[in-house]
C-alpha cells in the first residue's frame, strides 16, 4: 500500500496527531490524495485534519478551504430545509424514521460537514403514505426530475411512479428547487420498505417500526431505527452498492465514507451483537453484514468484539468479500457474475479494479452462458443510474 493510501486511512483514525505525524512529509503526492479523497467523499475530513498543519502545502489548504466553505453553504441550506420538513411531518402526527446521512451527520460526526449527503431518506408506514405526500406537496415538493437544460422540474409519468413503487424500496423522488447556485434541488427519498424486488434480503418493516427509538434534533421529533437495525441498514446499503457492475465502474462500491459511517456509529452506540446477527439471519442479510464488518475490521481494526470475530468462518467471509454480483443483469443478488482476484485492501484505491471486474464478468459469466447456448439482451451498463442514492 502506498504512503498516500496509508495517510488517507489514517485520516479516519481517532487520536491521530497530524501535527506530529512523521508520515506527513513533503514527498506525499497531494494531487493523488485530493483525487482519492474526492472519490471516497472525504474532502471535509481531510480539511479538518490538516488545515492547521504547517507542513502541508498552503495551496492545498486553500483549495480545501474553498471547498469547505461551499460545503458549509450547502449544508446550512439543506439542514434548514430538511429539519423544516421533519418538523411538519412530526406536527402532522406521522411516525417518520430518519435514515442514514442526515441522522449520521447530526448525531455521529463531531463536525456535521464531514458527512456530506445528496438527499434525505425517510421510512414511512404504508398506511400513512397519503398523509406524508400531502405534507410534502404542501411544502412545494414534486415527484420528478431536475432538467439541467431548462432548470425546471419535470414530473415523473405514471408508469415511472408505478415502477418505483412496485420494484424499488422508495417511491419516485420528491424534489424541490433550491435557489442555490451550488445545488439545484432538495431531494427526499420516501421509503416504504428497505429492499427492492431484486434483492435476496427483505426487512420486516413492521418490526422496524416496533423497535424504532424516538430522537430529536433541535427539539424536532422523529424516530430512528434501533441500534442493531440501524447498523444492519448501513451494512446492507453499503453492500447494495457492491451488487452492481455499474456501481463498480463508478466507484460507488468502495467508498471509505460508508465504512467511516459504520465505525463511528458503532463507537457511539451500544450494539447487542447477538441481536444484530439474529436480525441479519431473519432478513437474509448475513452476507451484507459479514461483508461490511469484515472490511471495517481490515480498515480500522477492533470493530467487532474478538469473542464474536473469532467464531467466523473466514473462508466463507473471504469468499463473500471476493464475489461479484450484478442485480440489473441477473435480476437477482444471488447469482455470481465474477470474482475478485485481488484482496479488498489492494483494490480499495485501485481505479483499475473496474477492468478486473469486467474481465472476470466476461470470462467467468458471459462465456459460460454463451457456451450453454443462451443469448443476451444488450444493455448499457455505463448509463446514468436513475436509482442512485446516498
Amino acid at each position: 500500500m502506498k504512503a498516500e493510501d496509508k495517510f488517507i486511512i489514517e485520516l479516519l483514525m481517532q487520536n491521530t496527531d497530524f501535527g506530529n505525524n512523521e508520515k506527513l512529509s513533503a514527498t506525499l503526492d497531494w494531487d493523488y490524495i485530493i483525487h482519492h479523497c474526492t472519490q471516497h467523499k472525504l474532502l471535509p475530513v481531510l480539511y479538518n485534519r490538516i488545515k492547521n498543519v504547517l507542513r502541508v502545502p498552503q495551496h492545498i489548504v486553500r483549495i480545501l478551504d474553498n471547498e469547505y466553505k461551499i460545503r458549509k453553504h450547502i449544508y446550512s441550506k439543506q439542514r434548514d430545509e430538511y429539519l423544516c420538513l421533519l418538523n411538519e411531518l412530526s406536527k402532522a402526527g406521522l411516525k417518520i424514521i430518519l435514515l442514514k446521512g442526515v441522522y449520521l451527520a447530526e448525531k455521529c460526526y463531531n463536525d456535521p460537514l464531514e458527512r456530506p449527503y445528496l438527499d434525505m431518506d425517510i421510512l414511512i408506514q404504508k398506511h400513512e403514505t397519503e398523509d406524508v405526500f400531502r405534507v410534502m406537496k404542501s411544502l412545494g415538493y414534486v415527484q420528478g426530475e431536475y432538467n439541467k437544460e431548462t432548470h425546471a422540474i419535470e414530473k415523473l409519468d405514471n408508469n415511472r411512479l408505478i415502477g418505483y413503487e412496485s420494484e424499488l424500496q422508495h417511491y419516485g423522488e420528491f424534489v424541490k428547487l433550491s435557489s442555490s447556485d451550488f445545488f439545484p434541488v432538495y431531494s427526499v427519498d420516501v421509503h416504504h420498505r428497505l429492499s427492492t424486488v431484486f434483492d435476496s434480503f427483505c426487512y420486516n418493516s413492521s418490526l422496524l417500526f416496533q423497535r424504532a427509538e424516538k430522537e430529536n434534533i433541535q427539539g424536532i421529533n422523529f424516530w430512528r431505527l434501533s441500534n442493531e437495525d440501524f447498523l444492519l441498514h448501513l451494512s446492507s446499503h453499503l453492500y447494495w452498492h457492491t451488487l452492481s457492475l455499474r456501481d463498480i465502474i463508478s466507484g460507488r462500491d468502495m467508498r471509505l465514507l460508508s465504512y467511516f459511517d459504520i465505525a463511528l456509529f458503532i463507537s457511539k452506540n451500544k450494539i447487542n451483537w447477538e441481536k444484530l446477527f439474529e436480525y441479519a439471519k431473519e432478513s437474509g442479510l448475513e452476507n451484507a453484514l459479514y461483508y461490511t464488518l469484515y472490511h471495517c475490521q481490515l480498515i480500522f481494526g477492533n470493530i467487532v468484539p474478538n469473542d464474536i470475530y473469532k467464531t467466523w468462518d473466514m473462508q466463507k467471509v473471504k469468499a463473500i468479500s471476493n464475489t461479484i454480483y450484478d442485480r440489473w443483469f441477473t435480476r437477482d443478488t444471488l447469482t455470481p457474475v465474477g470474482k475478485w482476484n485481488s484482496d479488498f485492501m489492494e483494490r480499495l484505491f485501485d481505479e483499475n479494479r473496474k477492468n478486473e471486474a469486467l474481465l472476470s464478468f466476461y470470462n467467468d459469466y458471459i462465456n459460460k452462458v454463451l457456451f450453454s447456448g443462451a443469448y443476451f439482451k444488450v444493455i448499457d451498463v455505463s448509463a446514468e443510474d436513475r436509482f442512485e442514492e446516498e
Side-chain angles (χ1 to χ4, degrees):
M1 184 174 279
K2 297 173 64 172
E4 290 79 6
D5 299 339
K6 293 178 181 177
F7 171 76
I8 292 171
I9 288 176
E10 284 187 0
L11 294 173
L12 309 180
M13 302 300 177
Q14 294 183 6
N15 304 320
T16 300
D17 183 359
F18 287 98
N20 296 314
N21 193 332
E22 295 178 0
K23 296 178 182 178
L24 192 58
S25 67
T27 61
L28 286 174
D29 183 342
W30 286 99
D31 287 342
Y32 178 96
I33 290 170
I34 292 286
H35 172 72
H36 282 281
C37 282
T38 301
Q39 291 292 102
H40 289 277
K41 303 296 181 185
L42 295 175
L43 285 180
V45 175
L46 174 63
Y47 173 71
N48 277 340
R49 303 298 186 274
I50 68 169
K51 62 185 177 184
N52 296 317
V53 178
L54 295 177
R55 282 180 290 169
V56 177
Q58 287 307 293
H59 73 280
I60 295 294
V61 177
R62 286 194 295 272
I63 290 170
L64 292 172
D65 183 65
N66 287 333
E67 197 277 339
Y68 188 84
K69 287 174 181 173
I70 294 171
R71 167 52 47 193
K72 190 172 184 178
H73 162 81
I74 294 171
Y75 164 75
S76 176
K77 290 183 71 70
Q78 286 180 328
R79 184 180 192 269
D80 288 348
E81 173 65 27
Y82 295 145
L83 290 185
C84 174
L85 173 56
L86 279 178
N87 192 39
E88 292 302 314
L89 292 168
S90 175
K91 288 195 304 186
L94 301 167
K95 189 171 183 178
I96 303 297
I97 292 179
L98 180 61
L99 304 168
K100 298 187 305 179
V102 176
Y103 178 85
L104 291 166
E106 297 295 326
K107 295 292 187 176
C108 291
Y109 284 76
N110 292 331
D111 178 1
L113 271 69
E114 290 187 3
R115 189 23 173 108
Y117 44 81
L118 297 176
D119 55 18
M120 181 168 76
D121 294 87
I122 58 175
L123 176 65
I124 69 171
Q125 299 178 98
K126 193 83 170 177
H127 69 271
E128 292 186 337
T129 299
E130 287 187 15
D131 293 326
V132 171
F133 282 20
R134 175 180 48 77
V135 171
M136 296 192 67
K137 289 175 181 177
S138 74
L139 294 174
Y141 283 90
V142 176
Q143 285 183 282
E145 293 176 324
Y146 177 71
N147 186 315
K148 296 177 183 178
E149 296 181 1
T150 64
H151 303 291
I153 294 172
E154 297 176 353
K155 289 185 178 182
L156 297 174
D157 62 42
N158 200 48
N159 287 336
R160 289 282 300 280
L161 292 175
I162 292 171
Y164 270 100
E165 182 176 355
S166 62
E167 294 187 345
L168 300 186
Q169 65 272 56
H170 56 76
Y171 297 102
E173 288 94 340
F174 281 85
V175 291
K176 174 182 175 180
L177 292 175
S178 71
S179 75
S180 169
D181 293 332
F182 296 104
F183 66 103
V185 294
Y186 301 107
S187 179
V188 179
D189 280 345
V190 179
H191 296 251
H192 56 92
R193 59 188 174 200
L194 294 182
S195 56
T196 74
V197 296
F198 311 115
D199 297 321
S200 59
F201 57 87
C202 183
Y203 290 91
N204 184 323
S205 293
S206 296
L207 288 177
L208 294 180
F209 275 95
Q210 287 176 28
R211 298 193 291 246
E213 301 174 4
K214 284 186 177 180
E215 274 278 12
N216 81 85
I217 298 172
Q218 289 192 335
I220 296 171
N221 297 314
F222 58 90
W223 296 75
R224 77 152 169 94
L225 298 172
S226 70
N227 290 347
E228 294 73 31
D229 286 325
F230 202 114
L231 179 53
L232 195 55
H233 181 231
L234 290 179
S235 298
S236 68
H237 184 257
L238 186 158
Y239 186 60
W240 195 87
H241 281 296
T242 72
L243 305 175
S244 160
L245 288 168
R246 185 175 293 174
D247 281 342
I248 292 171
I249 291 168
S250 72
R252 287 176 59 83
D253 64 315
M254 295 183 80
R255 283 188 178 162
L256 276 169
L257 180 68
S258 298
Y259 288 102
F260 196 29
D261 284 345
I262 290 171
L264 284 178
F265 186 82
I266 291 173
S267 72
K268 292 180 180 292
N269 294 279
K270 183 179 175 66
I271 307 298
N272 184 321
W273 293 92
E274 227 175 85
K275 274 188 181 178
L276 176 68
F277 280 90
E278 178 187 322
Y279 294 171
K281 187 173 183 179
E282 290 171 355
S283 307
L285 281 164
E286 288 177 293
N287 281 9
L289 195 57
Y290 282 124
Y291 183 94
T292 52
L293 292 181
Y294 172 58
H295 293 161
C296 276
Q297 195 81 356
L298 294 177
I299 296 167
F300 302 101
N302 301 320
I303 288 292
V304 182
N306 189 54
D307 60 330
I308 299 288
Y309 189 67
K310 68 184 182 182
T311 66
W312 290 5
D313 179 345
M314 294 310 298
Q315 186 174 352
K316 174 186 173 183
V317 171
K318 289 178 181 178
I320 294 169
S321 173
N322 291 327
T323 302
I324 300 171
Y325 298 92
D326 189 282
R327 73 165 57 76
W328 310 122
F329 196 88
T330 62
R331 312 305 277 179
D332 68 54
T333 52
L334 293 173
T335 307
V337 299
K339 61 180 181 293
W340 297 105
N341 292 316
S342 55
D343 291 335
F344 172 78
M345 295 301 287
E346 292 178 59
R347 58 183 190 262
L348 189 55
F349 297 100
D350 182 8
E351 295 193 325
N352 288 322
R353 71 174 184 273
K354 60 187 177 185
N355 297 324
E356 180 185 345
L358 289 172
L359 184 62
S360 178
F361 174 55
Y362 179 79
N363 289 333
D364 300 323
Y365 185 78
I366 294 288
N367 272 345
K368 289 180 181 178
V369 176
L370 288 176
F371 280 124
S372 73
Y375 66 92
F376 295 106
K377 176 182 177 182
V378 177
I379 59 171
D380 180 6
V381 297
S382 66
E384 184 178 352
D385 191 343
R386 69 182 179 94
F387 305 137
E388 181 173 312
E389 58 178 292
E390 188 68 44

